[in-house]
């Protein structure tokens, strides 16, 4: 025969009736005890995410500038197309080869200037982007 005595385990309904002193003697809850570590982690996590947000902002600004350069070029294309259509719709210009040639040369010159301006601005974009990145990193 066994001499061990069985200990009675309280049921779920009896636990709230346990003394408050026994519960107060337990250590703090895990959430309260780990709050300083969580605060430290959150602080450093936010520090790590801010540079990424700043880098993304610099990237988006560069994309916006590229879109603006393209919009300016498309505007120049539209203006040149409008001039060309005016040249072709004017019967006086169509009857004079010199006038038609002059109109076409003017439109071609404007398109060339717009394209060279576009290439110059696009060539500056990587430099501006690198400068923005370094400003955000440092």
């Amino acid at each position: 025969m066994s001499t061990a005595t069985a200990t009675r385990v309280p049921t779920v309904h009896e636990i709230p009736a346990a003394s408050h002193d026994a519960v107060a003697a337990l250590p703090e809850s895990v959430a309260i005890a780990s709050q300083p570590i969580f605060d430290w982690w959150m602080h450093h996590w936010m520090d790590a995410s801010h540079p990424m947000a700043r880098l993304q902002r610099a990237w988006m600004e560069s994309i916006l500038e590229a879109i603006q350069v393209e919009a300016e070029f498309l505007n120049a294309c539209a203006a040149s197309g409008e001039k060309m259509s005016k040249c072709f719709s004017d019967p006086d210009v169509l009857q004079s080869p010199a006038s038609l040639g002059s109109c076409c040369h003017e439109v071609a010159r404007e398109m060339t200037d717009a394209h060279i301006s576009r290439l110059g601005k696009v060539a500056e974009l990587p430099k501006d982007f690198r400068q923005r990145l370094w400003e955000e990193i440092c």
Side-chain angles (χ1 to χ4, degrees), residues 6-138:
T7 57
R8 186 173 170 278
V9 178
T11 64
V12 175
H13 299 292
E14 294 174 337
I15 291 176
S19 76
H20 179 64
D21 296 334
V23 174
L26 295 174
E28 296 179 36
S29 72
V30 174
I32 294 171
S34 62
Q35 189 65 40
I37 294 171
F38 179 76
D39 291 340
W40 174 84
W41 177 82
M42 185 64 115
H43 173 74
H44 289 289
W45 180 75
M46 291 300 289
D47 283 346
S49 68
H50 288 302
M52 291 305 294
R54 290 192 307 257
L55 292 178
Q56 185 175 10
R57 189 189 82 220
W59 179 72
M60 294 297 283
E61 287 173 355
S62 295
I63 295 294
L64 178 64
E65 286 181 8
I67 291 171
Q68 288 173 341
V69 167
E70 290 301 310
E72 290 172 6
F73 179 70
L74 290 174
N75 190 22
C77 289
S80 296
E82 182 181 2
K83 283 185 181 179
M84 190 63 103
S85 68
K86 283 182 182 178
C87 290
F88 286 133
S89 64
D90 188 6
D92 295 333
V93 173
L94 288 175
Q95 289 182 359
S96 168
S99 296
L100 187 58
S102 173
C103 183
C104 289
H105 283 290
E106 183 182 342
V107 169
R109 184 176 33 84
E110 288 177 4
M111 283 301 300
T112 302
D113 292 343
H115 185 64
I116 289 173
S117 173
R118 173 187 180 209
L119 290 178
K121 290 176 183 176
V122 168
E124 290 294 318
L125 286 177
K127 294 176 188 173
D128 293 341
F129 181 63
R130 282 191 301 241
Q131 182 179 354
R132 283 191 187 114
L133 286 180
W134 279 112
E135 287 173 358
E136 295 302 331
I137 290 172
C138 297

